[in-house]
Amino acid sequence: MRGRRSSRESHALNQTPEAFSNSPPISTEVVIIGAGPCGLFQVFELGLLGIGAHVVDSLRHPGGQCAELYPDKPIYDIPALPVCGAQELVDRLLQQIKPFNAQLHLGHEVVEFTRREDGRFHLATAGGVRFDAGAIVIAAGLGSFQPRRIGIEGAESFEGGAIQYRVRSAAELAGRHLVIFGGGDSALDWTLELLPRAASLTLVHRRSEFRAAPASVARMRELVAAGRMRCFEAVPHSLIADGGTLRGVNIRATDGSITALNAEQLLVFYGLHPKLGPIAEWGLALEKKALRVDTEKFQTSIPGVFAVGDINTYPGKKKLILSGFHEAALAAFAIQHHLYPQKKQFLQYTTTSPVMHQRLGVPD
C-alpha cells in the first residue's frame, strides 16, 4: 500500500492562501485539529449526533502518525479487525466518515487561537484559512511532526528530490542506487521492501545496535552476509554531486575514515520530531507536554476546547488508538451539550435508529 496517495490527497482543499485572505471566516460547529485516526473518528462520532466539523492538519495527507511513520505496520488491537495495516485503518476511517462531508484542510497549521466573549472561537492557519467555531477538538497526536534532517552541507537543494524523508512512491525507486540512513523500524522496513527492486542498496546507521524489530534486523544481517546489500556503522559526511545531480554520499566511520558510496537517492529515516507548536501558547493547562483533560467530557482547562488521543493526559491514560476512539465518543456527547445545552440527549443505536440510518445514508 505504499505510494498510495489518491485516496488521501483527494480530501485536501486546493485553495491557495490568497483565496482565503479576503474571505469571511468559515463558520462551523466544530473544528478538529488533527487528521489522524482519533481526529477522523471524532468526525464520525460528531456526525452521528448531527454535528458538522472541519478538520485541519499540518501534514498534507490524512492519517497523522499512522500514515507518516508506519503506513504498512500491522495493528492488532482494533475491535473486529484481527489485523489491519496502519494506512488501511486510515483509509477505512475516511470511508466511514464520507456520509458527513467533513472538509479536510491539509497542509495547514493553526497559528491563531482566541476564545471570544460570546464563547465561540477564532482560529486561523498559516495558510490563511480562518474559522469561527463553536467548539474545538485537539486531536493532534504528539503534536506537529517535522523530519529530523540529514544535516550536511548542500542537502537543502536536494531535499524533496534526491534526498527524501519519506517514500512517496516505491515504484519510482526501482532500478536506482539507494542509500538509506537510520536504524529504526522505518529504515529497516524500507530496506527490506526496496532491496529486491533497487540496483543497489546500502544501509548506514551510526551504531551497531538497531532500534527496529529484531526479526527485521536479523533478516537485514542475513542479506548483508549473502552479499545482497551493504551496511555501514557511520554517519553522513558530505554529498557527492555533479552540478545539480546527486552522484553519491561520503560517510564517516567511527574511526574517522571516509567512505564514498554511489547513490542516486538518499532516504533518511532519522524519525520525526514532535512538538506541540502553537498549541503550547494557547493557555491550556499542560502536564508533561500533554493537555490535561477530565475523563467525563475530555474537556481541557478552557470550556469548549476538548482533546482526544495521544495529545491529552489524565490519570490512567493509555496511549492507544483504541483509547482515543473511546475518548472521541464521550467527547462528542460533551460537545453536543456544550453547543446546545437546552437540548435533551438521547443515546441512539446505529443498528436500530432511523435518525442514525438517515445520517449514515443507510437505505430504507
Side-chain angles (χ1 to χ4, degrees):
M1 292 171 57
R2 286 179 169 124
R4 292 174 55 190
R5 300 299 301 272
S6 59
S7 65
R8 293 181 276 168
E9 291 186 342
S10 62
H11 294 266
L13 297 184
N14 295 319
Q15 293 98 322
T16 62
E18 291 77 10
F20 293 101
S21 59
N22 296 319
S23 302
I26 298 170
S27 182
T28 181
E29 290 170 294
V30 180
V31 168
I32 300 169
I33 301 173
C38 294
L40 296 177
F41 192 67
Q42 187 70 76
V43 172
F44 179 78
E45 288 296 321
L46 289 170
L48 290 179
L49 299 178
I51 297 172
H54 284 249
V55 183
V56 184
D57 199 296
S58 60
L59 295 175
R60 294 189 176 276
H61 48 268
Q65 184 175 338
C66 273
E68 192 69 15
L69 295 183
Y70 46 90
D72 289 341
K73 280 290 186 180
I75 300 173
Y76 298 98
D77 61 351
I78 303 300
L81 293 175
V83 60
C84 181
Q87 184 59 52
E88 178 188 357
L89 176 63
V90 173
D91 291 341
R92 286 175 178 268
L93 286 164
L94 289 169
Q95 180 69 28
Q96 189 176 34
I97 67 174
K98 275 187 176 180
F100 306 120
N101 298 314
Q103 295 188 53
L104 273 62
H105 305 263
L106 304 174
H108 286 269
E109 183 178 26
V110 177
V111 294
E112 293 182 19
F113 167 90
T114 306
R115 187 173 189 267
R116 302 189 331 218
E117 291 184 2
D118 63 359
R120 292 181 66 83
F121 297 89
H122 162 77
L123 295 178
T125 74
V129 188
R130 295 180 296 148
F131 298 96
D132 169 17
I136 308 296
V137 180
I138 303 174
L142 299 174
S144 61
F145 288 93
Q146 300 295 328
R148 291 187 171 93
R149 302 187 179 278
I150 193 169
I152 54 179
E153 185 177 353
E156 296 85 354
S157 62
F158 291 100
E159 289 176 343
I163 299 177
Q164 295 182 16
Y165 296 97
R166 64 189 308 270
V167 175
R168 294 190 295 265
S169 171
E172 293 178 359
L173 301 175
R176 299 177 70 81
H177 297 281
L178 309 178
V179 174
I180 294 179
F181 290 93
D185 282 321
S186 293
L188 269 293
D189 287 349
W190 280 116
T191 293
L192 300 178
E193 174 83 13
L194 296 173
L195 179 60
R197 64 185 79 186
S200 69
L201 191 148
T202 302
L203 177 64
V204 180
H205 184 41
R206 61 190 176 89
R207 56 174 181 260
S208 58
E209 297 82 15
F210 289 82
R211 293 171 284 106
S216 298
V217 177
R219 178 57 181 156
M220 179 272 295
R221 295 196 190 282
E222 290 175 1
L223 293 166
V224 171
R228 298 276 308 281
M229 59 171 287
R230 294 190 295 172
C231 181
F232 289 89
E233 184 179 345
V235 296
H237 176 268
S238 57
L239 298 177
I240 303 170
D242 179 8
T245 303
L246 183 71
R247 300 299 184 187
V249 61
N250 292 312
I251 58 173
R252 187 181 72 244
T254 53
D255 62 4
S257 61
I258 303 295
T259 300
L261 302 177
N262 180 31
E264 297 172 273
Q265 190 82 49
L266 306 186
L267 302 175
V268 183
F269 299 110
Y270 288 158
L272 298 174
H273 179 61
K275 59 178 182 178
L276 278 180
I279 294 173
E281 309 300 323
W282 293 354
L284 300 161
L286 296 172
E287 183 178 326
K288 295 181 179 179
K289 297 183 179 181
L291 301 176
R292 194 164 64 237
V293 296
D294 63 71
T295 53
E296 177 189 4
K297 303 176 181 178
F298 294 94
Q299 185 169 246
T300 67
S301 58
I302 296 180
V305 180
F306 303 79
V308 299
D310 286 356
I311 201 161
N312 75 17
T313 188
Y314 51 86
K317 169 71 178 184
K318 298 294 184 290
K319 290 188 176 183
L320 298 169
I321 295 174
L322 180 67
S323 300
F325 288 168
H326 158 78
E327 295 164 11
L330 294 188
F333 283 96
I335 291 166
Q336 184 187 50
H337 181 71
H338 175 81
L339 294 174
Y340 309 106
Q342 305 305 319
K343 185 175 183 178
K344 290 186 178 181
Q345 289 188 320
F346 300 96
L347 182 62
Q348 301 184 71
Y349 299 100
T350 56
T351 52
T352 57
S353 169
V355 173
M356 294 292 187
H357 288 179
Q358 183 180 22
R359 290 169 180 165
L360 289 166
V362 176
D364 296 333

